[in-house]
PDB file of all heavy atoms in Angstrom:
ATOM      1  N   LEU Z 549      86.051  68.268  84.515  1.00  0.00           N
ATOM      2  CA  LEU Z 549      87.066  69.220  83.763  1.00  0.00           C
ATOM      3  C   LEU Z 549      88.343  69.224  84.554  1.00  0.00           C
ATOM      4  O   LEU Z 549      89.437  69.687  84.113  1.00  0.00           O
ATOM      5  CB  LEU Z 549      86.463  70.561  83.473  1.00  0.00           C
ATOM      6  CG  LEU Z 549      85.274  70.555  82.584  1.00  0.00           C
ATOM      7  CD1 LEU Z 549      84.632  71.940  82.574  1.00  0.00           C
ATOM      8  CD2 LEU Z 549      85.714  70.127  81.140  1.00  0.00           C
ATOM      9  N   LYS Z 550      88.423  68.593  85.827  1.00  0.00           N
ATOM     10  CA  LYS Z 550      89.657  68.439  86.500  1.00  0.00           C
ATOM     11  C   LYS Z 550      90.411  67.261  85.843  1.00  0.00           C
ATOM     12  O   LYS Z 550      91.580  67.248  86.075  1.00  0.00           O
ATOM     13  CB  LYS Z 550      89.410  68.270  88.034  1.00  0.00           C
ATOM     14  CG  LYS Z 550      89.184  69.397  88.919  1.00  0.00           C
ATOM     15  CD  LYS Z 550      88.975  68.968  90.380  1.00  0.00           C
ATOM     16  CE  LYS Z 550      88.897  70.223  91.116  1.00  0.00           C
ATOM     17  NZ  LYS Z 550      88.675  69.953  92.605  1.00  0.00           N
ATOM     18  N   THR Z 551      89.649  66.316  85.198  1.00  0.00           N
ATOM     19  CA  THR Z 551      90.300  65.100  84.672  1.00  0.00           C
ATOM     20  C   THR Z 551      90.583  65.151  83.271  1.00  0.00           C
ATOM     21  O   THR Z 551      91.157  64.228  82.667  1.00  0.00           O
ATOM     22  CB  THR Z 551      89.564  63.841  85.122  1.00  0.00           C
ATOM     23  OG1 THR Z 551      88.330  63.856  84.531  1.00  0.00           O
ATOM     24  CG2 THR Z 551      89.336  63.871  86.751  1.00  0.00           C
ATOM     25  N   GLN Z 552      89.880  66.028  82.586  1.00  0.00           N
ATOM     26  CA  GLN Z 552      90.004  66.045  81.120  1.00  0.00           C
ATOM     27  C   GLN Z 552      89.786  67.544  80.650  1.00  0.00           C
ATOM     28  O   GLN Z 552      89.005  68.226  81.111  1.00  0.00           O
ATOM     29  CB  GLN Z 552      89.139  65.065  80.373  1.00  0.00           C
ATOM     30  CG  GLN Z 552      87.567  65.258  80.728  1.00  0.00           C
ATOM     31  CD  GLN Z 552      86.701  64.094  80.325  1.00  0.00           C
ATOM     32  OE1 GLN Z 552      86.968  63.039  80.691  1.00  0.00           O
ATOM     33  NE2 GLN Z 552      85.777  64.334  79.396  1.00  0.00           N
ATOM     34  N   PRO Z 553      90.432  67.925  79.483  1.00  0.00           N
ATOM     35  CA  PRO Z 553      90.365  69.356  79.098  1.00  0.00           C
ATOM     36  C   PRO Z 553      89.012  69.740  78.573  1.00  0.00           C
ATOM     37  O   PRO Z 553      88.563  70.789  78.689  1.00  0.00           O
ATOM     38  CB  PRO Z 553      91.468  69.506  78.058  1.00  0.00           C
ATOM     39  CG  PRO Z 553      91.871  68.150  77.718  1.00  0.00           C
ATOM     40  CD  PRO Z 553      91.694  67.175  78.885  1.00  0.00           C
ATOM     41  N   PHE Z 554      88.420  68.850  77.994  1.00  0.00           N
ATOM     42  CA  PHE Z 554      87.105  69.049  77.401  1.00  0.00           C
ATOM     43  C   PHE Z 554      86.121  67.911  77.729  1.00  0.00           C
ATOM     44  O   PHE Z 554      86.480  66.842  78.002  1.00  0.00           O
ATOM     45  CB  PHE Z 554      87.109  69.138  75.970  1.00  0.00           C
ATOM     46  CG  PHE Z 554      88.019  70.279  75.331  1.00  0.00           C
ATOM     47  CD1 PHE Z 554      89.255  70.133  74.926  1.00  0.00           C
ATOM     48  CD2 PHE Z 554      87.491  71.536  75.392  1.00  0.00           C
ATOM     49  CE1 PHE Z 554      90.028  71.116  74.461  1.00  0.00           C
ATOM     50  CE2 PHE Z 554      88.270  72.660  74.925  1.00  0.00           C
ATOM     51  CZ  PHE Z 554      89.541  72.411  74.428  1.00  0.00           C
ATOM     52  N   PHE Z 555      84.770  68.229  77.726  1.00  0.00           N
ATOM     53  CA  PHE Z 555      83.855  67.086  77.989  1.00  0.00           C
ATOM     54  C   PHE Z 555      84.072  66.040  76.896  1.00  0.00           C
ATOM     55  O   PHE Z 555      83.900  64.859  77.173  1.00  0.00           O
ATOM     56  CB  PHE Z 555      82.466  67.485  77.957  1.00  0.00           C
ATOM     57  CG  PHE Z 555      82.101  68.500  79.037  1.00  0.00           C
ATOM     58  CD1 PHE Z 555      82.048  69.828  78.868  1.00  0.00           C
ATOM     59  CD2 PHE Z 555      81.992  67.969  80.311  1.00  0.00           C
ATOM     60  CE1 PHE Z 555      81.756  70.711  80.096  1.00  0.00           C
ATOM     61  CE2 PHE Z 555      81.694  68.861  81.477  1.00  0.00           C
ATOM     62  CZ  PHE Z 555      81.611  70.181  81.337  1.00  0.00           C
ATOM     63  N   GLY Z 556      84.457  66.463  75.720  1.00  0.00           N
ATOM     64  CA  GLY Z 556      84.711  65.367  74.677  1.00  0.00           C
ATOM     65  C   GLY Z 556      86.213  64.903  74.720  1.00  0.00           C
ATOM     66  O   GLY Z 556      86.357  64.046  73.912  1.00  0.00           O
ATOM     67  N   GLY Z 557      86.906  65.129  75.655  1.00  0.00           N
ATOM     68  CA  GLY Z 557      88.204  64.590  75.842  1.00  0.00           C
ATOM     69  C   GLY Z 557      89.335  65.584  75.628  1.00  0.00           C
ATOM     70  O   GLY Z 557      89.413  66.640  76.254  1.00  0.00           O
ATOM     71  N   GLU Z 558      90.248  65.172  74.781  1.00  0.00           N
ATOM     72  CA  GLU Z 558      91.482  66.081  74.409  1.00  0.00           C
ATOM     73  C   GLU Z 558      90.959  67.127  73.577  1.00  0.00           C
ATOM     74  O   GLU Z 558      91.614  68.150  73.421  1.00  0.00           O
ATOM     75  CB  GLU Z 558      92.415  65.133  73.809  1.00  0.00           C
ATOM     76  CG  GLU Z 558      93.168  64.181  74.666  1.00  0.00           C
ATOM     77  CD  GLU Z 558      93.766  64.859  75.922  1.00  0.00           C
ATOM     78  OE1 GLU Z 558      94.478  65.936  75.850  1.00  0.00           O
ATOM     79  OE2 GLU Z 558      93.603  64.395  77.075  1.00  0.00           O
ATOM     80  N   ARG Z 559      89.823  67.015  72.731  1.00  0.00           N
ATOM     81  CA  ARG Z 559      89.319  67.995  71.796  1.00  0.00           C
ATOM     82  C   ARG Z 559      87.963  68.297  72.137  1.00  0.00           C
ATOM     83  O   ARG Z 559      87.254  67.287  72.499  1.00  0.00           O
ATOM     84  CB  ARG Z 559      89.605  67.528  70.341  1.00  0.00           C
ATOM     85  CG  ARG Z 559      91.045  67.419  70.033  1.00  0.00           C
ATOM     86  CD  ARG Z 559      91.264  66.769  68.595  1.00  0.00           C
ATOM     87  NE  ARG Z 559      92.698  66.519  68.435  1.00  0.00           N
ATOM     88  CZ  ARG Z 559      93.540  67.449  68.010  1.00  0.00           C
ATOM     89  NH1 ARG Z 559      93.119  68.714  67.929  1.00  0.00           N
ATOM     90  NH2 ARG Z 559      94.782  67.123  67.871  1.00  0.00           N
ATOM     91  N   PRO Z 560      87.307  69.483  71.814  1.00  0.00           N
ATOM     92  CA  PRO Z 560      86.024  69.751  72.035  1.00  0.00           C
ATOM     93  C   PRO Z 560      85.117  69.034  71.015  1.00  0.00           C
ATOM     94  O   PRO Z 560      85.509  68.960  69.815  1.00  0.00           O
ATOM     95  CB  PRO Z 560      85.975  71.262  71.914  1.00  0.00           C
ATOM     96  CG  PRO Z 560      87.062  71.636  70.992  1.00  0.00           C
ATOM     97  CD  PRO Z 560      88.193  70.683  71.242  1.00  0.00           C
ATOM     98  N   LEU Z 561      83.928  68.832  71.507  1.00  0.00           N
ATOM     99  CA  LEU Z 561      82.916  68.105  70.720  1.00  0.00           C
ATOM    100  C   LEU Z 561      81.500  69.027  70.963  1.00  0.00           C
ATOM    101  O   LEU Z 561      81.612  69.856  71.699  1.00  0.00           O
ATOM    102  CB  LEU Z 561      82.628  66.660  71.008  1.00  0.00           C
ATOM    103  CG  LEU Z 561      83.770  65.722  70.723  1.00  0.00           C
ATOM    104  CD1 LEU Z 561      83.465  64.226  71.311  1.00  0.00           C
ATOM    105  CD2 LEU Z 561      83.968  65.612  69.151  1.00  0.00           C
TER     106      LEU Z 561
END
Side-chain angles (χ1 to χ4, degrees):
Chain Z
L549 296 166
K550 275 186 180 174
T551 66
Q552 56 193 60
F554 297 102
F555 292 105
E558 292 300 313
R559 295 174 186 281
L561 293 172

